[in-house]
Amino acid sequence: MNSRNYTDVIIAGKVYTLGGYESEEYLQRVAGYLNGKSAELRRVDGFLRQTPDYQNVLLQLNVADDYFKAMGRLEELEAQTEAQANEIYSLKHQLVTVQLKLEEMKRELEETQGKEQKG
């Protein structure tokens, strides 16, 4: 198993030590995402007039919203992938069927031509 990584990150102007099995770059990216989301909310009129607790809840709600939207998109992509896989399977089946019919028709044509040459 990979070893735990620890790295210092800055979130909302405070230094935190994060630990996990993910890379330090990943942990920095997560912190950067939170900082970006927080900066986005600070640009919304009235956000900074809210209590810190309310600001924190809004940040959490926005992160959860991003998560559920991403999961919804993932589900859509998985459904599309499954539909495409089914379509590919169906097309392969049709191709094999057509190839078999073509081979059968070639044999029949060769037999017919052979009978005409003998006759």
Side-chain angles (χ1 to χ4, degrees):
M1 181 175 267
N2 295 338
S3 62
R4 279 181 76 87
N5 293 310
Y6 294 91
T7 188
D8 289 337
V9 299
I10 298 174
I11 299 174
K14 295 181 183 176
V15 177
Y16 295 91
T17 300
L18 298 183
Y21 294 105
E22 296 82 4
S23 69
E24 289 182 30
E25 294 81 17
Y26 176 80
L27 296 172
Q28 290 290 343
R29 204 167 89 217
V30 170
Y33 169 79
L34 287 175
N35 286 323
K37 190 53 76 172
S38 180
E40 183 182 312
L41 288 172
R42 283 194 304 273
R43 289 189 295 271
V44 173
D45 286 337
F47 178 78
L48 294 175
R49 288 190 296 263
Q50 303 300 321
T51 65
D53 285 344
Y54 193 78
Q55 291 176 14
N56 190 34
V57 168
L58 287 175
L59 177 62
Q60 292 172 15
L61 287 170
N62 276 264
V63 169
D65 179 54
D66 288 351
Y67 170 79
F68 283 108
K69 285 178 180 172
M71 290 303 294
R73 181 69 179 133
L74 176 62
E75 289 172 4
E76 288 174 12
L77 291 172
E78 286 175 341
Q80 286 177 2
T81 300
E82 185 177 343
Q84 289 170 345
N86 290 338
E87 184 177 353
I88 288 170
Y89 177 81
S90 176
L91 290 170
K92 284 180 180 180
H93 179 72
Q94 290 175 14
L95 177 61
V96 168
T97 301
V98 169
Q99 286 174 330
L100 290 173
K101 287 181 181 179
L102 178 60
E103 291 298 320
E104 183 181 335
M105 291 175 78
K106 281 182 180 178
R107 267 195 310 277
E108 289 175 5
L109 180 60
E110 288 170 358
E111 289 174 7
T112 302
Q113 288 175 344
K115 288 180 183 178
E116 288 176 355
Q117 288 177 354
K118 289 181 182 180

